[in-house]
Amino acid sequence: MIDPQSAPTTDDIAALVALAARGDVSAFEQLYTKCAGRVYAVCVRMTGDPQRAREYTHDAFVRAWERLSTFRGEASFETWMHRLTVNVVLTATRGERRRAARFVATPDEPAAETDMALSTPAPDVETRVDLERAIAALPPRAREVFVLHDVEGYRHEEIADRLDLEASSVRANLHRARRLIMRMLTR
Amino acid sequence: MTNHLTWEILNDYVDEVLTPAERAAAEAHVRECETCAAALTELRATVAEARALPATVMPPDELWNDVRATIESRKVAHLPAGMASARSHARGWWMTPGKLAAAAVVLVAATASLTAIAMNARVSQTTVVVQGTPSVTVSASWLASERAFQQNVLELREQLEVLHDHLSPATLVKVERALATIDLAIAEGREALLRDPANAALSELLASNYRQKIELLRRMTQLASS
């Protein structure tokens, strides 16, 4: 019996994964309990939207449930879950951008975004925006790059690969994100 | 000092992606230039704050219930009793039409023994034997109703599969969640009817859930094709 109140060991996690892969929902609930905060944090920071973060967190765990049999244990379950979550978010946001692009220019077009965002006056010094809110207010692409690099610790090359961008574009988005955040934080 | 470091150089310096020569030049400049030194300090502080953000943000409490409802409903919808070993081959409800058809056939065959018991006790009875399940006496008319229902669902899902790209991911998630809720209600209704086959209210409730599922799929198909 695995005590859900104590931190599961690696062996516990492996046992839970094995049980869940055989259809044990209670075992999967324990995995959910262990990872939900981490998964939701990635989702809410990458989307800047609690409702979408909730949906993507839901989707990530449902997808994990469906793919548990592919988990080989080469990385930790949390790492596997984290990568799966990033994939869920990026796939969804990519689809949203494609749909948006059918009707209007994407808000991530560099020129338009830079002109608009950087010309916005800095917020009142009296109303400092905290970092989480500043991240949420970033343009979508800049937010994704900032979260993956500065919060999650991905390297430029990894981000370029995941987002299907040139490394130079990753750097440009990251620099823009930092500038905007510092401005929102009135730095 | 007038030629300050560019924003790009400052960022690349913080990220340690400058070449050794570029890095040495930047360091030399920062030692002499208060403006760039201050900018560098602020930038480093921002990056450090981001890296120090909490690793976890707790989701809404009820989210696990939604996740559980979805995975339970998929077990119900795609893995009827006795088919649990096939779980690893199951997918979401956006299956290929061929797999959907196969799933529907399996579902009809394996769950008929449960669903047919209570829905129409007044009509003629027939005995159905499904391999791997006990033989039970079921309503022939309900078997036909069940097949019609499944066929209807199958056709609507095939249409939605084709129109998939016309709906936003957010809408698809909501539809899937609603379907999961209905599927769960259907599964619970079946179980309740199995325990109480003569309960007309339960029969009507189950039929209502079936109708609700069809209606939802129909509305989404119309929305996607409009």
Side-chain angles (χ1 to χ4, degrees):
Chain A
M1 179 69 183
I2 296 164
D3 178 5
Q5 298 303 313
S6 63
T9 65
T10 305
D11 287 345
D12 291 339
I13 296 294
L16 289 171
V17 171
L19 285 169
R22 291 199 294 272
D24 186 331
V25 178
S26 295
F28 191 62
E29 183 176 8
Q30 292 186 58
L31 293 170
Y32 172 91
T33 302
K34 178 175 174 54
C35 297
R38 186 87 181 85
V39 167
Y40 184 72
V42 172
C43 291
V44 77
R45 285 175 182 144
M46 286 187 71
T47 62
D49 177 353
Q51 179 57 34
R52 283 164 70 215
R54 188 185 194 287
E55 291 169 2
Y56 297 158
T57 300
H58 168 275
D59 292 354
F61 278 104
V62 170
R63 191 168 299 183
W65 167 260
E66 292 172 343
R67 297 184 180 181
L68 275 174
S69 61
T70 69
F71 175 68
R72 300 288 175 223
E74 286 119 356
S76 73
F77 179 75
E78 282 180 306
T79 301
W80 182 78
M81 193 69 221
H82 182 272
R83 297 191 80 81
L84 183 150
T85 302
V86 171
N87 279 342
V88 165
V89 174
L90 293 181
T91 301
T93 54
R94 199 173 292 137
E96 287 167 6
R97 282 199 186 89
R98 270 203 302 272
R99 272 181 287 279
R102 291 177 190 165
F103 304 105
V104 293
T106 168
D108 273 325
E109 290 296 330
E113 173 190 288
T114 302
D115 290 348
M116 176 188 70
L118 295 184
S119 63
T120 303
D124 188 332
V125 179
E126 298 297 320
T127 56
R128 277 176 69 95
V129 183
D130 70 23
L131 183 54
E132 296 276 18
R133 290 174 61 193
I135 293 171
L138 288 171
R141 182 65 88 194
R143 182 174 56 243
E144 288 170 359
V145 172
F146 179 84
V147 170
L148 288 175
H149 189 277
D150 280 2
V151 181
E152 300 295 334
Y154 284 55
R155 290 179 293 109
H156 291 148
E157 297 77 13
E158 287 178 285
I159 299 170
D161 185 49
R162 301 296 286 274
L163 297 181
D164 198 20
L165 292 174
E166 296 293 326
S168 59
S169 180
V170 170
R171 286 174 58 240
N173 275 288
L174 177 62
H175 300 171
R176 183 160 65 246
R178 287 170 174 169
R179 185 193 291 277
L180 290 169
I181 282 177
M182 289 172 69
R183 183 162 294 186
M184 285 187 270
L185 296 174
T186 68
R187 286 188 173 139
Chain B
M1 185 164 294
T2 53
N3 293 324
H4 295 303
L5 295 178
T6 65
W7 182 242
E8 286 67 34
I9 293 287
L10 281 170
N11 277 272
D12 286 346
Y13 182 71
V14 168
D15 293 335
E16 300 182 348
V17 293
L18 293 175
T19 65
E22 289 169 336
R23 182 171 187 81
E27 284 172 345
H29 179 90
V30 168
R31 277 197 295 273
E32 301 294 326
C33 177
E34 289 183 5
T35 303
C36 288
L40 186 61
T41 299
E42 290 176 358
L43 179 57
R44 278 182 165 148
T46 301
V47 173
E49 275 186 41
R51 289 185 179 152
L53 283 173
T56 61
V57 177
M58 291 317 294
D61 288 342
E62 72 280 7
L63 184 54
W64 165 250
N65 292 333
D66 289 351
V67 173
R68 181 175 192 128
T70 301
I71 62 181
E72 292 281 11
S73 69
R74 289 181 179 186
K75 285 169 75 178
V76 170
H78 302 301
L79 294 171
M83 299 292 290
S85 62
R87 196 199 65 73
S88 62
H89 302 296
R91 295 181 52 197
W93 66 271
W94 297 112
M95 305 172 84
T96 61
K99 286 182 178 175
L100 270 172
V105 168
V106 169
L107 180 61
V108 169
T111 61
S113 59
L114 294 180
T115 54
I117 289 175
M119 294 302 289
N120 193 343
R122 291 166 300 191
V123 300
S124 62
Q125 305 288 295
T126 184
T127 299
V128 173
V129 178
V130 178
Q131 190 172 3
T133 64
S135 62
V136 291
T137 301
V138 297
S139 146
S141 69
W142 173 246
L143 279 177
S145 299
E146 171 100 303
R147 288 196 188 94
F149 161 72
Q150 292 294 345
Q151 185 58 36
N152 215 336
V153 168
L154 177 62
E155 289 169 1
L156 287 166
R157 282 185 167 178
E158 285 177 352
Q159 289 175 38
L160 266 178
E161 175 85 17
V162 172
L163 298 166
H164 183 269
D165 282 348
H166 294 256
L167 294 171
S168 72
T171 301
L172 291 172
V173 166
K174 286 173 185 166
V175 172
E176 189 168 358
R177 187 170 297 156
L179 285 170
T181 303
I182 297 171
D183 281 340
L184 198 57
I186 288 173
E188 290 172 352
R190 283 171 170 155
E191 289 181 12
L193 272 173
L194 190 61
R195 291 191 297 271
D196 185 8
N199 190 321
L202 283 176
S203 297
E204 175 51 36
L205 188 61
L206 182 56
S208 169
N209 285 330
Y210 282 142
R211 286 194 294 272
Q212 194 180 4
K213 183 169 183 174
I214 293 288
E215 181 57 25
L216 175 59
L217 285 167
R218 186 172 289 130
R219 286 206 331 258
M220 294 318 300
T221 306
Q222 287 171 348
L223 176 65
S225 58
S226 62

